[in-house]
Amino acid sequence: MLLLSGPPGAGSNARIWDEVRASVARGDADFRLLVPTSTLAEHLRHELARAGLVVRPELVLTLAGFLDQWTDGTPAIAPAALELVLAEVLERDTPEVFRKVARLDGFRASLTRAITEVSDTGTYARRLAEVLQLGAVEAPLAPAFLAVYREVENELERRGWVLRAGLLERAARRIRERGLGSLRRVFLDGFFSFSEPELGLLRALAAHADLTVALPRWAGAEQARAALLEMGLEEQDSPPAARLGARVLVTAAGLEQEAVEIARRILEHVAQGRQFREMGILLRGEKPYVPVLRTVLERFGIPARFYFTPPLAEHALARYFRCLVEGLQGGWEHAAVLAALRMAASGVAGTPTADEFDFQVRERLPGRGLAALRELAPEGPLRAFLDRLEALEGWRSLELSPRDWAERLKTLARLVELPVIDDGRSFDTVAAWRAQADALEGFARALETTAGALPGDRSVSLAAFWDALGLVLENTSLRAPDRRRNAVAVLDVFEARQWELPVVFLPGLVERQFPLYQPPDPFFPDAAREAWRAAGLRLDTSADLRRRERFLFDLAATRATAELVVSYPESNAKGDPNLPSFFLDEFPAGAVKARAARPALDGPRGPWGAPVLVRHPELLARLCSTHDTFRPTALEDFLQCPFQFFGKHTLKLGGPPPRPEERLDALVRGDIAHQALAAWQRGDGSLETVFEAVFARVCAQQRVSLGCRAELVRLRMLEDLGRLTADPPRLEGWLPRVEENIQFDLEGGTRIRGRIDRCDVSPRNAAVVFDFKYSSGTGIRKRKEGCEQGRFVQGALYLLGLEAQEGCRPAGWFYWGFRKETSVAGWHALTREEWRGPGVACTLEELRERLEEARAAALGAARQIREGRIEANPADPERCEYCAFRDACRIRAAGRFMLAAGGAE
């Protein structure tokens, strides 16, 4: 029997691999290779298959899978089920010291982890009581913990459940009593250490089989190493492996830039002939990197296989069921019903009928009740969907046993529209089908787990059962199979123990992330943990956890055979500087800065590509008849982006109605401000009186939810309007005119119509336009820049309209912002006696030049609109974020990505 040891990356498991390959080649079935995780078991089977060796799955399996064979399939209690049992114990009898926090989810989760940690050492409540009686150090919460632990043990025994340590002991006992049958050799690989119950199992195995264990040499494994030597295993120590590959340290401005740098380097390697499968990204944990890497790698067209299993609660199917049940509990609140209807599982999502229904209901939010929804729904699949929901109505008032609730909730699967399986589908579509099937099965198992964890002799409401089920779903992993071979592997450092790849990326090297910060344990302080070791209770101390982090880093740093790239973001999401990991001290000085890169689009490589035109004569004729008159703001939409104008003004498409609490958006606030200001300038009453009337009327029309947020908006708007009316623009001796309508022929049949917020006319018929904007100083500055670039023409067209309509002489126009502060931008040809306020003073000739530039820009826009120009071509890409059509924009819907020339832009 052998103990193969050595430092991380020493290749101490080579002998195991040689024997396993030889055994598989001979067709032997008298061995088992046990590993800690299913991911590793799958990886090793694939490695054997790539070597041309077909291995039966039961020969390479996880330790948990091996235990199933020796415990009649009795599973260890799931963490979520343990927490539910703990919750029941705390409800029944809570120690005084825990009484104020016993109902908090965080406390229960922490207590569950503590129970798991103690039980994994093989220490039961009776033994823990003996340890605590030693009284070596003070642990104030330990007695209360012991009381809860004892009651949890009793409850588990009453139900016939066991913790993992009990499962290991049961398997060891059966092996000692019955032997291993035809099994002659057992190999264990990929383990970092062994707990006392696991060592007990190894002792039983060693008594009946030839045992070979690969165990890395590090501080956390010394106790297990000593125990294995006592069993009679002969140690073979491997020297450190020499790594000749390059080691590169990269710094990036932030986390997303760090992910982009990884994508850029991956594509560089691919361009040089390396396969995607020859590269991997190792992470200390799922957050915060996995969501960012998913997005960035997809943007750059890089296939990636993520070895992180999201909780079942995050799958679309579980969210669909949650919307249905929460909608039922809330009396079919319309927002919850719409959320379910918009999901693919409903069977009606994405249809024109459902989209129209969705908009109609959103406009009427808030609301509740299925009757109101059926009045809006046409006959067909949508009405049938609502009828099926009505069948659940009686559940709301029921109280059933947990087992009965589990059976009822399984019928929610009937509300799932299953996809039609056919050929020719993409990998993503097939993966989604598989994930949905796995989610349905997982949901049914979660219901069984929940029913088993709750007291079977007591009836509970749907709300109580659903809350318990939510905890189980959060703690149930959903592993969607991904059989792609040529993909970048993204995995946790724990899973990387047997992986070796030519190129490895190791991001996130900042303190508290790698090494991961472990908060102090509230139940067992470090001093108690140290003292209890003399009594045989070995719980990890903070020092042990720090040593583990160091070991994990050393392990990860040895996974690359050609190039290791470690990186970290210099700043966090708040912009504060990060503290680089102290593990980086051994890396050479002079980090490489991440290079900026961006995905590029298929098609032409101009700024945004060539113009796209509507060419059909009938459609062009319709464009001309539709757009014979323009509002200045519509022309500005075209000058920003032809596609935006096409969607908004030609197709007259509208975005989805906002939620009630989001309806006081910038557009509505601007409308309120303009109406209130116009009423005040007309003398309809005091500012506060007219504002309150306008605010109430608009909120009622828009069905705004009048909560704290609306009240805050109201107070701020009143303050902003008060600032404007206390110091309004003044031109002495000029006549102000409010909400002045204009309509005139700009040139060649192009008509302009609009309404001027305010124009002041002098006794000599000179005119100045004031365009009030409920905008901040930044918004006014950007508008001024847009005017200079020919994108904003509203003020100039108003002046030209007054000239054409009433013969006024243009004297200037101003954009007057009053949100948070007064900010003004504009141009004028006034004397210092007439105007001492802000704005650019110019001559009449210069002002006329600006007016003619605006006229030319407006005429050019009108001509191109009638010519059918509709391509996405944003003049200011920063404004795309606020465009209602950004999700349909072809600029953003790229099918293939590649690096910009030179890799930097």
Side-chain angles (χ1 to χ4, degrees):
M1 295 191 294
L2 292 176
L3 170 60
L4 307 175
S5 63
S12 55
N13 62 341
R15 180 159 180 171
I16 290 180
W17 265 104
D18 290 342
E19 290 202 32
V20 168
R21 278 193 289 263
S23 298
V24 174
R26 292 193 301 267
D28 295 345
D30 63 347
F31 75 94
R32 295 292 185 273
L33 172 57
L34 307 183
V35 295
T37 67
S38 58
T39 299
L40 183 54
E42 181 184 59
H43 172 67
L44 295 180
R45 294 189 200 110
H46 289 172
E47 288 293 307
L48 290 169
R50 292 186 188 109
L53 301 172
V54 180
V55 59
R56 286 156 46 187
E58 65 268 19
L59 300 182
V60 180
L61 71 166
T62 63
L63 180 58
F66 182 76
L67 290 177
D68 285 344
Q69 301 174 1
W70 294 94
T71 56
D72 297 326
T74 302
I77 183 172
L82 177 59
E83 188 169 338
L84 290 176
V85 171
L86 171 65
E88 182 189 350
V89 168
L90 291 175
E91 287 288 336
R92 193 167 58 227
D93 186 16
T94 305
E96 183 62 33
V97 70
F98 293 158
R99 197 169 300 279
K100 292 183 178 180
V101 294
R103 292 180 177 271
L104 300 180
D105 293 340
F107 171 76
R108 291 181 176 180
S110 179
L111 191 54
T112 302
R113 287 193 297 269
I115 290 174
T116 302
E117 181 185 13
V118 172
S119 67
D120 280 349
T121 67
T123 302
Y124 297 100
R126 182 177 58 191
R127 175 58 183 154
L128 181 60
E130 295 173 357
V131 173
L132 295 183
Q133 286 175 358
L134 298 177
V137 293
E138 184 179 359
L141 299 182
F145 173 87
L146 174 61
V148 173
Y149 186 24
R150 182 181 291 116
E151 289 302 312
V152 168
E153 274 189 356
N154 294 337
E155 185 64 28
L156 293 179
E157 183 177 359
R158 186 180 68 81
R159 301 186 186 195
W161 289 356
V162 294
L163 294 164
R164 185 172 183 273
L167 209 62
L168 287 161
E169 292 171 359
R170 184 178 299 184
R173 184 167 56 252
R174 172 171 279 190
I175 290 172
R176 285 195 299 268
E177 294 171 353
R178 303 182 184 181
L180 292 169
S182 62
L183 193 58
R184 296 287 178 264
R185 293 169 295 157
V186 177
F187 306 98
L188 287 98
D189 192 14
F191 294 88
F192 294 157
S193 186
F194 297 100
S195 65
E196 187 54 44
E198 290 170 337
L199 289 170
L201 177 65
L202 297 189
R203 291 187 186 95
L205 291 173
H208 296 278
D210 186 8
L211 191 63
T212 303
V213 180
L215 191 67
R217 179 72 70 85
W218 70 291
E222 283 306 305
Q223 185 183 19
R225 173 176 169 272
L228 291 170
L229 293 176
E230 287 181 6
M231 295 179 204
L233 276 71
E234 178 185 347
E235 185 172 23
Q236 290 187 0
D237 201 0
S238 301
R243 297 292 180 185
L244 303 179
R247 293 159 66 93
V248 182
L249 173 60
V250 178
T251 62
L255 189 149
E256 184 173 354
Q257 290 78 6
E258 184 182 12
V260 168
E261 173 67 8
I262 290 173
R264 187 188 69 80
R265 287 177 174 267
I266 288 173
L267 291 180
E268 279 189 351
H269 280 289
V270 171
Q272 295 166 7
R274 198 175 292 283
Q275 298 293 312
F276 286 116
R277 65 174 177 268
E278 298 178 294
M279 293 173 279
I281 304 172
L282 305 186
L283 304 174
R284 179 59 186 90
E286 182 174 1
K287 295 180 180 179
Y289 276 87
V290 166
V292 176
L293 285 170
R294 282 188 190 276
T295 301
V296 170
L297 295 180
E298 182 179 350
R299 282 172 50 210
F300 280 85
I302 297 173
R305 185 177 179 183
F306 286 81
Y307 290 83
F308 291 87
T309 54
L312 178 55
E314 294 182 4
H315 189 268
L317 193 72
R319 290 188 283 110
Y320 173 66
F321 290 153
R322 184 170 67 244
C323 288
L324 293 178
V325 173
E326 291 178 355
L328 167 63
Q329 291 175 315
W332 299 115
E333 202 278 323
H334 291 174
V337 177
L338 286 182
L341 183 144
R342 287 194 293 268
M343 296 183 182
S346 69
V348 295
T351 63
T353 301
D355 289 343
E356 184 176 352
F357 176 78
D358 180 81
F359 275 44
Q360 291 175 351
V361 176
R362 286 201 206 191
E363 289 173 350
R364 291 165 172 79
L365 290 178
R368 67 180 67 245
L370 291 177
L373 294 177
R374 279 199 298 272
E375 290 179 4
L376 294 175
E379 292 290 342
L382 185 57
R383 177 71 67 85
F385 172 77
L386 296 175
D387 290 342
R388 291 197 299 271
L389 296 187
E390 191 173 14
L392 308 179
E393 186 70 28
W395 293 13
R396 191 184 303 124
S397 58
L398 292 178
E399 289 202 354
L400 303 173
S401 70
R403 186 64 57 188
D404 288 341
W405 274 126
E407 293 304 315
R408 279 186 179 254
L409 288 168
K410 286 179 183 178
T411 63
L412 290 177
R414 301 172 187 170
L415 297 175
V416 177
E417 186 74 19
L418 297 177
V420 177
I421 308 299
D422 52 13
D423 293 333
R425 297 304 185 107
S426 67
F427 167 81
D428 290 338
T429 299
V430 174
W433 289 345
R434 289 173 175 165
Q436 185 182 57
D438 291 343
L440 275 172
E441 293 179 3
F443 185 77
R445 289 194 299 270
L447 288 170
E448 292 295 329
T449 299
T450 306
L454 294 175
D457 57 353
R458 191 167 66 225
S459 296
V460 297
S461 65
L462 173 60
F465 185 89
W466 190 258
D467 287 344
L469 176 63
L471 178 63
V472 175
L473 294 175
E474 285 289 347
N475 287 272
T476 301
S477 296
L478 178 64
R479 187 182 181 194
D482 186 345
R483 306 301 181 191
R484 290 177 299 172
R485 184 184 178 191
N486 192 27
V488 175
V490 185
L491 63 163
D492 191 288
V493 291
F494 280 100
E495 297 285 2
R497 60 195 91 193
Q498 295 299 331
W499 290 64
E500 282 193 349
L501 295 164
V503 179
V504 170
F505 297 91
L506 186 57
L509 268 294
V510 296
E511 286 296 309
R512 292 179 175 264
Q513 190 165 303
F514 201 171
L516 192 64
Y517 171 73
Q518 302 289 348
D521 185 84
F523 305 105
F524 310 123
D526 272 0
R529 291 169 178 255
E530 289 282 3
W532 292 341
R533 289 188 175 184
L537 174 55
R538 185 177 181 85
L539 301 176
D540 286 337
T541 64
S542 297
D544 293 327
L545 297 178
R546 287 194 296 270
R547 283 190 287 267
R548 184 181 69 179
E549 293 297 307
R550 178 73 226 192
F551 167 73
L552 290 174
F553 175 76
D554 292 340
L555 177 72
T558 60
R559 300 301 90 197
T561 59
E563 181 181 71
L564 171 67
V565 180
V566 299
S567 59
Y568 69 90
E570 295 176 326
S571 302
N572 61 22
K574 297 179 180 179
D576 299 327
N578 284 323
L579 178 63
S581 172
F582 293 122
F583 294 158
L584 297 177
D585 291 346
E586 65 188 54
F587 275 74
V592 178
K593 284 283 187 182
R595 294 164 58 187
R598 54 180 278 180
L601 306 173
D602 282 335
R605 287 287 299 172
W608 299 105
V612 176
L613 301 175
V614 174
R615 300 186 183 278
H616 195 283
E618 185 176 336
L619 295 179
L620 288 174
R622 183 173 297 183
L623 280 175
C624 292
S625 61
T626 300
H627 300 301
D628 60 343
T629 302
F630 299 91
R631 289 185 175 276
T633 52
L635 293 173
E636 290 179 346
D637 286 338
F638 181 87
L639 293 170
Q640 161 59 20
C641 178
F643 186 72
Q644 181 188 43
F645 178 91
F646 179 67
K648 186 176 180 180
H649 301 282
T650 301
L651 299 181
K652 300 187 185 304
L653 301 177
R659 296 175 60 86
E661 66 272 16
E662 297 172 352
R663 288 175 182 166
L664 270 177
D665 56 18
L667 188 62
V668 173
R669 293 197 301 267
D671 185 35
I672 292 173
H674 276 81
Q675 289 191 42
L677 186 59
W680 175 78
Q681 291 182 122
R682 288 195 303 265
D684 293 350
S686 67
L687 174 66
E688 185 169 354
T689 299
V690 297
F691 172 77
E692 295 295 350
V694 170
F695 188 88
R697 183 176 66 251
V698 173
C699 286
Q701 292 170 349
Q702 301 291 332
R703 298 173 67 90
V704 173
S705 178
L706 297 177
C708 295
R709 181 178 179 184
E711 178 63 11
L712 180 61
V713 170
R714 187 189 69 82
L715 293 174
R716 285 179 175 172
M717 290 191 68
L718 186 57
E719 180 182 358
D720 292 335
L721 284 166
R723 186 186 310 109
L724 172 63
T725 56
D727 186 21
R730 292 185 180 88
L731 282 168
E732 295 297 334
W734 294 48
L735 177 65
R737 289 151 53 175
V738 180
E739 298 290 300
E740 186 82 6
N741 291 313
I742 61 166
Q743 184 164 335
F744 67 101
D745 188 347
L746 183 63
E747 187 177 299
T750 298
R751 297 192 61 77
I752 304 295
R753 64 184 175 88
R755 178 178 295 175
I756 304 173
D757 291 341
R758 173 179 152 184
C759 62
D760 288 16
V761 181
S762 74
R764 297 183 179 182
N765 209 28
V768 172
V769 167
F770 294 97
D771 194 5
F772 296 108
K773 301 292 183 184
Y774 192 53
S775 302
S776 63
T778 301
I780 295 300
R781 286 193 298 273
K782 289 184 176 181
R783 182 161 289 273
K784 180 176 181 293
E785 293 170 2
C787 287
E788 293 170 342
Q789 297 165 4
R791 291 187 288 111
F792 290 117
V793 296
Q794 184 179 21
L797 291 182
Y798 284 162
L799 266 183
L800 291 172
L802 290 172
E803 182 181 39
Q805 184 170 290
E806 302 186 19
C808 295
R809 176 175 59 82
W813 80 91
F814 296 91
Y815 295 110
W816 205 280
F818 56 96
R819 182 167 174 256
K820 296 183 181 179
E821 61 180 351
T822 299
S823 48
V824 183
W827 294 264
H828 67 88
L830 302 170
T831 65
R832 289 188 60 81
E833 289 73 20
E834 292 173 317
W835 183 256
R836 295 182 178 273
V840 178
C842 55
T843 64
L844 287 172
E845 291 75 15
E846 291 170 338
L847 185 63
R848 173 57 64 180
E849 184 178 346
R850 286 193 173 277
L851 292 174
E852 294 306 320
E853 289 174 353
R855 186 199 301 271
L859 290 172
R863 174 179 52 78
Q864 292 178 76
I865 290 169
R866 292 163 179 160
E867 289 175 351
R869 186 179 173 193
I870 61 171
E871 86 278 2
N873 186 7
D876 181 5
E878 291 184 3
R879 295 182 62 195
C880 292
E881 179 182 354
Y882 308 103
C883 177
F885 309 101
R886 62 185 181 276
D887 292 330
C889 175
R890 284 160 290 178
I891 291 299
R892 302 173 63 89
R896 177 176 58 86
F897 298 103
M898 57 193 212
L899 289 177
E905 286 191 1

